[in-house]
Amino acid sequence: LREKIRDLEQSLSQKYPPVKFLSEKDRKRILITGGAGFVGSHLTDKLMMDGHEVTVVDNFFTGRKRNVEHWIGHENFELINHDVVEPLYIEVDQIYHLASPASPPNYMYNPIKTLKTNTIGTLNMLGLAKRVGARLLLASTSEVYGDPEEHPQNEEYWGHVNPIGPRACYDEGKRVAETMCYAYMKQEGVEVRVARIFNTFGSRMHMNDGRVVSNFILQALQGEPLTVYGTGSQTRAFQYVSDLVNGLVLLMNSNISSPVNLGNPEEHTILEFARLIKSLVGKSSHPRPSHICMFVCLQVPLEEGLNKTIHYFSRELEHQANNQYI
Ligand code: NAD
Ligand code: UDP
């Protein structure tokens, strides 16, 4: 009861987003590597609001403190500035291993570091999982399928990857990370989960990653023409970040140890994205979402997800404009 009253007082003081009460037997100690990044910070929000103890480990290469600053000081939260290429000694029950640059300009900036993060970093986290008996979920990627010869790719497909191409540091890094997970599972009995994540968008995504959603939103907000390459009839599917986060948590707590694709099967043409983003920005009536998504809906409709992302981008642009002389 004392704990319940304390939780209530805490949410009433509104210093932190509301956190559920969990009894000690349900409350887990959870490590999120890369927790200050785009996906990791949303995962942090969900697990904190669900009432768990969350430790974020991040070297701030592509992530930032601002993404998780609303939890700093909360007794269930800890932020550690640490590079997963170095060993880490803590005690946890579950590890969400997300640390790795994710967009091409970021992972190609320093391919050797990308390789070290995905190989040595994953080895270290598996070693930690083995020592403390934790379950580890690896954030893998659809890029393990490379330049696929099968559409859509199901989990049995082995992929078509050039081991010496410009993306190899990431694609092959993730492939070997998956190999390591199953070696630790078979040889050491470590419980592993592997999520092959497909294109994701949402607030806190990198505005300058050069990918289509961020390009179009930035261009529309800045009143520039949208750069549709070719005819725009090529199609892509994007999932909203809260859907991905729900999927990651479900997978972690499931008994599925083989790799699982996590993505949105609904494809749209690039032209559709361009038109939709232009019209949503034109309306300029994006609902003002609270700074934290509440993860109540099962699947976020594209338009709603785009609206939230546009709102985030426009606040970021404002923030940048206000801080450029500081
Ligand atoms: P992100 O760049 O926003 O987050 C990655 C985080 O990892 C950052 O906070 C970064 O600082 C941290 N990091 C990088 N190297 C590290 C190191 N050596 N030690 C400690 N921290 C380190 O990217 P994201 O989009 O949030 O991606 C998270 C994970 O999901 C990645 O593993 C990525 O490969 C995977 N993924 C993402 C997508 C997507 O569409 N966003 C798609 C497929 C896979
Ligand atoms: N694209 C576009 N305009 C842009 C950026 C991308 O028309 O400003 C197109 C691009 O040609 C591709 C699709 O959008 O067909 C997705 O591109 P992105 O770089 O986001 O990802 P990827 O090709 O790796 O899926």
Side-chain angles (χ1 to χ4, degrees), residues 63 65 120 123 145 147 171 215 319:
K65 228 182 207 168
I120 305 169
L123 206 73
Y145 300 121
D147 194 359
D171 301 2
N215 274 8
H319 180 87

Side-chain angles (χ1 to χ4, degrees), residues 167 199 210-213 215-216 219 227-229 234 236 238 270:
R167 288 170 176 249
N199 284 331
R211 314 292 305 274
V212 67
V213 171
N215 274 8
F216 285 177
Q219 290 161 347
T227 52
V228 175
Y229 303 154
Q234 64 276 42
R236 287 292 183 283
F238 290 92
I270 295 304

Side-chain angles (χ1 to χ4, degrees), residues 92-95 128-136 190-192:
V92 287
D93 306 307
Q94 292 187 336
I95 302 169
L128 169 64
K130 176 185 145 191
R131 181 176 62 80
V132 301
R135 183 180 286 183
L136 179 142
V190 173
E191 287 189 35
V192 298

